[in-house]
């Protein structure tokens, strides 16, 4: 089992749990908001159609040959319209900066992120790197140049 090394930022609240799987079959580990001390009581409010980077207080050491994908939590999306504008977001194995979660409020009402709240999930994924080669032409396929919607709705 690969290990993701986690460094908690010096300012971060140590009582906020580290990422963890909610159930034995969960693919994603829940990530929690770890707000600056000045924001902990009131939380961070996201207006409708606004975006905000929510701090986690963490930095990650991702194993070589892997990435972390950050994905929305389905309950926040269903109940409040809170999602990620770039989902899945990729955290590269060589990134060592702070882990912030970019959230967007697609709902009709403001939403307040509370300190310690589960805001996203992370999935560790193996990465296969490709070689890129320019060629004079591509092989034909049944789909051909059919783009968006070309295979129908059903």
């Amino acid at each position: 089992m690969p290990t993701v090394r986690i460094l908690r930022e010096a300012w971060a609240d140590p009582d906020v749990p580290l990422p963890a799987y909610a159930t034995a079959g969960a693919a994603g580990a829940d990530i929690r908001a770890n707000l600056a001390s000045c924001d902990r009581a009131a939380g961070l409010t996201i207006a409708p159609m606004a975006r905000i980077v929510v701090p986690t207080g963490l930095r990650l050491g991702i194993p070589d040959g892997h990435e972390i994908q950050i994905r929305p939590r389905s309950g926040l999306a269903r109940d409040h319209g809170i999602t990620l504008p770039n989902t899945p977001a990729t955290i590269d194995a060589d990134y060592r900066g702070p882990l912030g979660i970019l959230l967007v409020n697609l709902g009709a009402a403001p939403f307040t992120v509370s300190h310690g709240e589960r805001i996203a999930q992370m999935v560790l994924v193996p990465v296969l790197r490709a070689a890129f080669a320019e060629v004079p032409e591509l092989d034909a396929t049944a789909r051909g140049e059919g783009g968006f919607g070309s295979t129908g709705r059903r």
Side-chain angles (χ1 to χ4, degrees), residues 2-8 58-64 93 96:
T3 299
V4 176
R5 297 173 326 278
I6 298 176
L7 174 68
R8 198 183 298 263
L58 306 176
R59 293 177 186 241
L60 304 178
I62 301 167
D64 286 339
R96 293 297 183 268

Side-chain angles (χ1 to χ4, degrees), residues 14-125:
D15 292 333
V16 172
L18 294 177
Y21 298 100
T23 66
D30 290 327
I31 305 169
R32 296 175 182 269
N34 198 327
L35 306 182
S37 57
C38 60
D39 294 323
R40 290 177 186 166
L44 296 177
T45 299
I46 312 170
M49 299 310 294
R51 297 174 305 279
I52 189 170
V53 176
V54 179
T56 66
L58 306 176
R59 293 177 186 241
L60 304 178
I62 301 167
D64 286 339
H66 292 77
E67 68 164 323
I68 292 277
Q69 292 183 357
I70 307 296
R71 301 179 183 178
R73 294 198 67 244
S74 58
L76 287 179
R78 179 198 61 216
D79 297 343
H80 306 285
I82 303 301
T83 190
L84 281 67
N86 61 326
T87 187
T90 291
I91 310 297
D92 296 309
D94 59 352
Y95 176 67
R96 293 297 183 268
L99 176 61
I101 306 299
L102 178 60
L103 296 180
V104 62
N105 182 353
L106 300 179
F111 178 80
T112 300
V113 176
S114 300
H115 180 63
E117 183 172 6
R118 295 179 297 160
I119 55 170
Q121 52 187 331
M122 62 168 39
V123 177
L124 180 67
V125 180

